[in-house]
Amino acid sequence: MHLIRAKLYLEGYSTSGQGAHEAEVAYLRILEFSEKDVLFANEMRYFRNGILYYGTSHDEEYAEKVVEFTKKIYKRLREIIK
């Protein structure tokens, strides 16, 4: 999320308040990420809120999917920011 936010700032945009994280995830479409990637990023955003605010947890299989996705998207976002 920080890398997406950094790209937004570099482009002269800023997000804050209610709906900010949704907007940041949606910005992935502008950056030409696949719809599958955007949907998974949004799912992670949603589940993160559950973990942070309600103490929900997820299984190891889902955690591995998140790590794999994060590694993939991180490389691409770093290239986009350069």
Side-chain angles (χ1 to χ4, degrees):
M1 198 60 77
H2 291 289
L3 290 174
I4 297 167
R5 196 170 299 134
K7 180 61 176 171
L8 280 163
Y9 289 150
L10 288 171
E11 297 295 322
Y13 300 108
S14 177
T15 59
S16 64
Q18 186 174 355
H21 289 132
E22 290 93 336
E24 292 165 347
V25 169
Y27 191 66
L28 289 172
R29 288 185 182 98
I30 303 294
L31 298 176
E32 299 180 354
F33 280 81
S34 71
E35 189 63 19
K36 181 180 174 184
D37 287 345
V38 174
L39 292 174
F40 191 73
N42 192 54
E43 181 181 284
M44 289 189 323
R45 177 201 60 77
Y46 177 81
F47 287 153
R48 177 201 169 271
N49 287 342
I51 292 166
L52 186 64
Y53 298 114
Y54 306 109
T56 57
S57 63
H58 297 276
D59 60 22
E60 184 177 341
E61 182 181 336
Y62 185 75
E64 289 170 359
K65 283 175 57 175
V66 169
V67 169
E68 188 176 312
F69 176 78
T70 303
K71 287 179 181 179
K72 178 180 84 169
I73 198 170
Y74 178 81
K75 288 178 187 178
R76 186 159 171 210
L77 284 170
R78 290 290 298 174
E79 288 299 317
I80 289 170
I81 291 174
K82 287 184 182 184

